[in-house]
Structure formats: C-alpha cells, structure tokens
Amino acid sequence: MTILVTGGRGAIARAVTTGLTAAGQDVRIASREPADLGPTAVAYDPSDPTPALEGVSQVFLYADPASAPAFVAAADAAGVKQVVLLSSLSAAGGPDDPHARTERIIASGGYATTRMQPGAFMSNAKFWAYQVRATGQIRLPYLDAEEAPIHEQDIADAVLRVLLDGPGHGHDDRAYPLTGPESMTRRHQIALVTQTTGVPIEAVDLTPDQARAEMQMRDAGQRETLFAYWASRVGSPHPIEPGVELLT
C-alpha cells in the first residue's frame, strides 16, 4: 500500500521520503506546490485532501486545527490505517495550544495515531542569517531560555521507524517527545555561530512587547504560548528526551 508524505517540500518530509524510498516503500509526496517534487508528487489541498488520500494506507501529516477535521473525514473515508502526526513539544503546554488542539482532532479518527513532538529545530538558526546580514544583530526575546534543539534528520529517522513498523506495533496512540542531546541557551548558540564563522554578532535581548512588534505570526495565540514557554525556560535546563534513541 501507499504511504502519503504531506508537506513534501519541508526538510523533514524530504528526509522521510528518502528513507521510505530506500526501504522499498511506495511513497506519494503531497504538497500545495508539487511541481519539481518528482513523478509521484500530487497537489494537496488541506481543505479537501480526498484526492491525495486515494489508495493510501499510512500518512505522515502536517496539519493545523483548521484543516484537521477535513483530514479526519477524508482519511476515514479512504480507509487509512495509520497517521504519524508532526506535532510539537508545545502541545504539552495546555489544551488551547494549536498543536494540542490538532492532536485531539487527528486522534479522533478511526486509524492508529502516533504524535511526534519535537522541540526547537536546529535549523531555526538559519533564519537568523537575515538579521545578521542586515544589522549584525540577532534580535530575540528570552535569549537565556534553555532549549535542546534537534536536527530534522533525527526527527525523520524517528518518523521512519514508526511508519516502517506500521500500526499495531506499539506506537498506536502514543506521543514521542523529541529533543536534541544538549540543553543550551540561544545566547550560547549565537556565541557558537560566531565562534564557528568568525562573524561578530550582537545578541539583542528583546522585551516581550518589542518582540510582539518585530515577530509577526499568523496565530497570535501560538506566539503567546511560545513566549510563555520561553519565559518558563529561563534559568532552567531543558529536559533531554530519549525519543530518538528509543525509536532508532
């Protein structure tokens, strides 16, 4: 049967696709913009995923609260057996977190569900490059918040294990928190970038109000949840989760 990988242009989805293909699986890549993603790529409309789900048995899913109900209805109608949802550690922050809401909706389907909950992505640091080039600064709130950034390949390897094992093999209805191997502040991460590149960078610790003005996000609630989480991590080393090691 076919495994559908949504968000096909993302780094995690690409790595999952590569791993599934190497394992001899029949993979269908789905994206809102499927051009140049290969002959098996299909257009994916989150408001109506029915066409992409035809003949699919398993799904690696990116979703949000708005699109989740349409996915559940379409997946149940298509006879999907397993969904591995890319969620977030922030889902543990409370029932109003967008990731937590998405998890609840997706888990209501008739298929087996596994929630992958990574923390900060290691590659988030690449977005600092725009500020550095323009101003020589990295401007963020809560620079002394501790996080344990994880590489996308590690997330993909964990997802791959669950998909290859399939439903009924101990992953059903489970959540796997995923972190990298070391807790560090973003101030320390910036220092490491400077040390590695030789580029002097000024770390500017924004107040929450300054950050609200400079960090534009579509979901203001998600931003506030993120700020509250960062505030809670100041001076508190981030727990290291063993999910990657357990699965791989």
Side-chain angles (χ1 to χ4, degrees):
M1 293 291 284
T2 300
I3 301 176
L4 181 71
V5 176
T6 70
R9 290 187 176 277
I12 299 172
R14 286 177 181 269
V16 169
T17 298
T18 298
L20 290 173
T21 301
Q25 300 297 309
D26 181 21
V27 184
R28 181 182 302 165
I29 306 167
S31 173
R32 297 188 192 199
E33 299 178 1
D36 305 323
L37 288 179
T40 67
V42 297
Y44 187 81
D45 180 357
S47 66
D48 182 17
T50 299
L53 287 168
E54 183 178 353
V56 165
S57 59
Q58 297 166 269
V59 181
F60 173 57
L61 179 66
Y62 292 81
D64 58 34
S67 65
F71 174 84
V72 173
D76 279 344
V80 169
K81 303 301 182 185
Q82 182 188 39
V83 173
V84 179
L85 173 67
L86 183 64
S87 184
S88 168
L89 274 178
S90 70
D96 294 330
D97 176 82
H99 293 287
R101 300 203 309 269
T102 302
E103 286 189 3
R104 290 196 300 274
I105 297 168
I106 297 300
S108 69
Y111 40 75
T113 306
T114 304
R115 290 107 60 208
M116 312 304 285
Q117 298 175 326
F121 290 3
M122 202 170 280
S123 67
N124 287 349
K126 71 183 180 183
F127 297 109
W128 300 343
Y130 303 104
Q131 294 184 45
V132 172
R133 291 191 184 103
T135 68
Q137 299 177 334
I138 293 176
R139 302 171 60 83
L140 292 167
Y142 305 109
L143 282 178
D144 293 310
E146 298 259 357
E147 57 189 12
I150 183 170
H151 196 290
E152 284 90 335
Q153 185 64 55
D154 285 336
I155 301 170
D157 288 345
V159 169
L160 189 64
R161 181 71 272 147
V162 176
L163 288 172
L164 291 178
D165 285 348
H169 286 82
H171 307 300
D172 300 357
D173 302 318
R174 288 195 61 174
Y176 288 104
L178 307 171
T179 69
E182 179 182 353
S183 178
M184 62 181 78
T185 66
R186 279 177 292 174
R187 193 184 300 277
H188 180 59
Q189 293 175 53
I190 293 168
L192 290 175
V193 173
T194 292
Q195 176 183 323
T196 302
T197 65
V199 176
I201 302 170
E202 179 186 3
V204 179
D205 199 356
L206 300 177
T207 67
D209 283 342
Q210 288 173 326
R212 289 184 184 97
E214 295 188 21
M215 296 177 61
Q216 301 300 316
M217 296 179 66
R218 287 182 298 176
D219 190 326
Q222 187 173 10
R223 181 186 61 202
E224 294 308 310
T225 299
L226 190 60
F227 281 13
Y229 175 73
W230 285 340
S232 73
R233 295 251 57 90
V234 173
S236 178
H238 198 291
I240 304 303
E241 300 289 351
V244 173
E245 288 82 358
L246 287 173
L247 287 166
T248 64

